[in-house]
Amino acid sequence: GDDNFILELNRVKEKVRTRFIELRECLSERESELMRELDEILSSYECYRREVEKMNEEKRDIEDVRNAIMGVVTTSAVVRSCQEKMLQELNEQLEGLEIPVKPKLVMFVCEDSKWLVEVNKLCKLVEVVSEIDYKSKTHSVMNVCDVDSGNEQLNNPSGVTVDHITGNIYVADTNNHCVKVFNDSCKFVFKFGDLKGEGSMTYPKCFVICRNRVLVSQGDVFIEASHCIKVYQLDGKFVCQIGKHGGGELQFNYPCGLATNESTGDIYICDTRNDRIQIISEHFQYKSQFGKDTLHYPLDVKLYRNNIFILDQSNPCLHIYNKNLVLQKSVVSRGEGQQVVSSYSFFIDRFGNILT
């Protein structure tokens, strides 16, 4: 009896020690990820700060010249005409100063090819914007969801999607462990999911609407039971859970991006820490997987014209597979204008433009 007890105790101690080492490695990896994210944010804001300082300096120089010209008192009509002309040119220069764009970490989704919905992770906003003008590279904000007070305030929002029938906007309020729903006028309607009960959520990240069901990916490195996909009705009622923590079929390790094939109902899941994409049927049965030899920390997946686009952060690049799951091309980040490094999600519009 005592010998068996000691053997069992040693087995438990070894299991605990192994699990501790795994958690420590996960924490170290997560710390590295967070530091990379922080460096990217700080770098973006440092560039933004320098651009603002440069603009303000140019503005001060122009205003100094304008004030000097306005301070000249003269009775000469010719001089006054020159003054007016110079002041007009200076005012035009002031109006023409380009205001730097404040950096944002955003995720996009398209609604009826008319709207874009941005989730700004830094400013904790949800913006509904009109179509992007690709020539001027601008867009106009149509509305901002009412998320600045009370229970509707967001904390590190991540995923976003739109119900094409009702127009409701679903936002993954990650650090509040729930999904918040806004109507097409950007007013708060309801929320679902919390840290308790059958339909509880743990750091929800991304989701997709498939056959009138809302699929939510979630996962926390310290909670094995949290690595799964939760399924809800559109009204927030819990339906079921897909998968569990692990590396086998229908097992996940930090699942993130989701996409659905509208014609077949198949669902594509970024099994991020397992470095692969899993495909399940509309009835949530395992079908296949791919990318194990190519992907390294895939974060998001999109389907467009029989091709599968996967955002891979650790490489970093955008991989493109065909419908037979064969890799066709990898678009690697190559400096300004082609950056996909700091992106957490992306969107493909109806013209095939990729927004990151």
Side-chain angles (χ1 to χ4, degrees):
D2 290 343
D3 291 341
N4 290 336
F5 175 77
I6 292 173
L7 287 173
E8 182 63 24
L9 182 62
N10 287 333
R11 279 197 294 267
V12 171
K13 286 172 63 177
E14 181 62 24
K15 186 176 180 180
V16 170
R17 190 183 72 84
T18 302
R19 180 58 181 157
F20 175 77
I21 293 173
E22 291 175 354
L23 288 174
R24 188 171 59 185
E25 290 174 350
C26 287
L27 179 60
S28 176
E29 184 179 349
R30 183 58 181 155
E31 278 185 329
S32 299
E33 293 166 11
L34 291 173
M35 289 304 298
R36 284 200 304 270
E37 294 175 12
L38 181 61
D39 287 342
E40 291 164 3
I41 293 171
L42 291 177
S43 176
S44 298
Y45 267 85
E46 179 61 23
C47 292
Y48 170 71
R49 185 187 63 80
R50 288 197 296 266
E51 291 174 359
V52 170
E53 287 181 352
K54 182 179 178 182
M55 182 198 70
N56 288 334
E57 186 176 346
E58 292 177 359
K59 184 178 179 180
R60 284 194 296 269
D61 291 343
I62 294 172
E63 288 177 342
D64 288 344
V65 175
R66 186 177 64 175
N67 292 336
I69 293 173
M70 293 174 65
V72 176
V73 180
T74 179
T75 58
S76 170
V78 175
V79 174
R80 281 201 302 271
S81 177
C82 289
Q83 281 181 315
E84 292 173 359
K85 184 176 180 181
M86 293 174 67
L87 288 172
Q88 182 180 353
E89 290 176 353
L90 290 170
N91 287 333
E92 289 175 355
Q93 289 182 36
L94 278 174
E95 292 176 359
L97 285 177
E98 186 174 347
I99 300 175
V101 178
K102 194 172 184 178
K104 298 194 295 184
L105 296 176
V106 302
M107 296 184 177
F108 299 92
V109 67
C110 188
E111 197 279 312
D112 291 339
S113 301
K114 293 186 295 186
W115 292 353
L116 291 174
V117 180
E118 294 186 355
V119 172
N120 188 333
K121 293 172 69 64
L122 295 181
C123 298
K124 300 181 181 179
L125 293 177
V126 180
E127 291 182 352
V128 180
V129 303
S130 61
E131 287 185 356
I132 289 181
D133 183 343
Y134 293 101
K135 291 183 179 180
S136 62
K137 300 179 181 179
T138 61
H139 64 258
S140 59
V141 177
M142 294 173 60
N143 212 334
V144 178
C145 290
D146 183 17
V147 296
D148 294 327
S149 61
N151 292 329
E152 289 74 62
Q153 191 170 13
L154 300 176
N155 189 353
N156 191 30
S158 295
V160 61
T161 193
V162 176
D163 180 1
H164 294 262
I165 298 175
T166 64
N168 285 342
I169 301 168
Y170 291 72
V171 181
D173 192 3
T174 302
N175 286 2
N176 283 328
H177 308 287
C178 65
V179 169
K180 292 180 179 175
V181 183
F182 302 84
N183 63 19
D184 55 4
S185 297
C186 294
K187 299 301 180 183
F188 176 79
V189 181
F190 66 95
K191 65 180 180 180
F192 58 93
D194 54 35
L195 285 172
K196 297 179 180 179
E198 189 180 32
S200 63
M201 294 184 188
T202 307
Y203 298 105
K205 297 173 182 62
C206 303
F207 41 19
V208 67
I209 294 177
C210 177
R211 303 293 197 261
N212 294 321
R213 294 288 188 268
V214 182
L215 279 69
V216 185
S217 64
Q218 62 165 38
D220 178 76
V221 293
F222 297 109
I223 306 174
E224 283 192 1
S226 68
H227 296 256
C228 62
I229 309 297
K230 293 289 183 76
V231 184
Y232 302 83
Q233 294 180 1
L234 293 176
D235 61 4
K237 184 178 179 181
F238 178 69
V239 177
C240 67
Q241 173 179 314
I242 304 173
K244 61 181 181 179
H245 182 264
E249 297 177 359
L250 277 184
Q251 294 181 346
F252 306 101
N253 191 351
Y254 202 74
C256 286
L258 302 167
T260 182
N261 185 319
E262 296 293 340
S263 59
T264 66
D266 287 348
I267 302 156
Y268 293 69
I269 304 170
C270 284
D271 191 2
T272 302
R273 289 182 183 271
N274 282 328
D275 300 324
R276 62 181 178 178
I277 304 295
Q278 289 200 61
I279 305 175
I280 63 176
S281 71
E282 62 177 314
H283 303 296
F284 315 139
Q285 301 298 314
Y286 175 84
K287 294 190 73 172
S288 63
Q289 61 177 282
F290 66 97
K292 192 69 175 176
D293 297 329
T294 308
L295 303 177
H296 301 281
Y297 213 85
L299 285 178
D300 198 13
V301 57
K302 295 287 186 292
L303 274 59
Y304 180 76
R305 291 186 178 177
N306 293 324
N307 286 322
I308 306 161
F309 294 75
I310 301 166
L311 181 63
D312 203 5
Q313 191 183 52
S314 293
N315 280 342
C317 61
L318 193 68
H319 297 294
I320 305 172
Y321 289 77
N322 63 19
K323 63 181 180 180
N324 297 318
L325 311 183
V326 177
L327 181 64
Q328 301 296 296
K329 185 178 183 181
S330 295
V331 181
V332 181
S333 173
R334 298 186 184 279
E336 187 176 357
Q338 298 183 28
Q339 292 285 353
V340 295
V341 182
S342 60
S343 296
Y344 297 84
S345 183
F346 68 103
F347 163 68
I348 305 177
D349 70 7
R350 67 184 188 277
F351 303 111
N353 296 301
I354 299 174
L355 309 178
T356 64

